[in-house]
Amino acid sequence: MEWREQVALQKRAAFRDWDYWGRPVPGFGDPSARVYVLGLAPAAHGGNRTGRVFTGDRSGDWLFGSLYRTGFANQPTSVESDDGLELTGAFVAAAVRCAPPANKPLPSERDNCLPYAAAEIGFLTDLKVIVCLGSFAWDAAARLLQIRPKPKFGHEAEHLADGVTLIGCYHPSQQNTFTGKLTEEMLDAVFQRARELTE
């Protein structure tokens, strides 16, 4: 919490004219979504700056580009919270709601934030799929749905529990996208599969 506020005061030079959000970042999207996209945490100079998860950072460029190509978003980019982005059939959130140091949240931070994700899932009455961006989100989703034993994470891994399918996906982090561990085609295939499971 203190770190996210410190980042909001000691801004990155490229964003020195921004008033950083600097608070917990809620999920957003279509209230009738059948697909819940769960990420790790807001980026220090992305969601922590803009106030909307995956907005204003490279991971978001990949995520919203894919959601656009697969029919869940009306535009392929998300640069600020009032840029006109609208999601159809999808709701996007993070397991941890505050930007953590070095993008490595503690299990205690995950556990403190899970009630917010649980509340979002609770109002998505038609929920069919949770796309988990990375193993941290996969673990959080398994906790949310009280799945025991926890299924093994993998890219395109699937697990059905109480009518909701978890789909694993490598996180669209720069580490994964720069190295080719995750390609646009791989990411699109996950969201195409999510769409198949909801139709």
Side-chain angles (χ1 to χ4, degrees), residues 98-176:
C98 295
N103 212 25
K104 293 184 178 175
L106 300 171
S108 60
E109 292 174 298
R110 173 202 61 206
D111 294 345
N112 288 340
C113 292
L114 277 183
Y116 298 101
E120 290 166 350
I121 285 173
F123 74 69
L124 297 176
T125 56
D126 292 327
L127 183 66
K128 298 289 181 207
V129 174
I130 300 177
V131 174
C132 305
L133 301 176
S135 61
F136 192 93
W138 179 268
D139 292 351
R143 285 176 178 266
L144 282 168
L145 299 182
Q146 299 178 351
I147 301 169
R148 290 187 182 90
K150 182 184 70 185
K152 184 172 171 42
F153 172 77
H155 185 76
E156 294 190 290
E158 292 186 19
H159 183 83
L160 178 64
D162 294 328
V164 176
T165 303
L166 300 188
I167 304 178
C169 180
Y170 293 140
H171 192 284
S173 64
Q174 288 186 313
Q175 181 179 353
N176 288 340

Side-chain angles (χ1 to χ4, degrees), residues 18-131:
W18 276 77
D19 289 327
Y20 273 54
W21 172 259
R23 298 187 291 274
V25 181
F28 80 100
D30 184 348
S32 60
R34 304 182 94 185
V35 177
Y36 186 75
V37 182
L38 189 61
L40 174 68
H45 302 284
N48 190 51
R49 171 174 57 90
T50 63
R52 191 169 71 190
V53 69
F54 282 107
T55 295
D57 63 54
R58 295 267 175 100
S59 294
D61 292 345
W62 274 70
L63 175 62
F64 293 117
S66 184
L67 289 172
Y68 174 74
R69 290 188 299 272
T70 54
F72 289 105
N74 69 326
Q75 62 190 43
T77 58
S78 178
V79 294
E80 54 189 300
S81 61
D82 60 354
D83 60 10
L85 174 68
E86 293 179 12
L87 301 181
T88 302
F91 195 96
V92 177
V96 172
R97 301 302 166 110
C98 295
N103 212 25
K104 293 184 178 175
L106 300 171
S108 60
E109 292 174 298
R110 173 202 61 206
D111 294 345
N112 288 340
C113 292
L114 277 183
Y116 298 101
E120 290 166 350
I121 285 173
F123 74 69
L124 297 176
T125 56
D126 292 327
L127 183 66
K128 298 289 181 207
V129 174
I130 300 177
V131 174

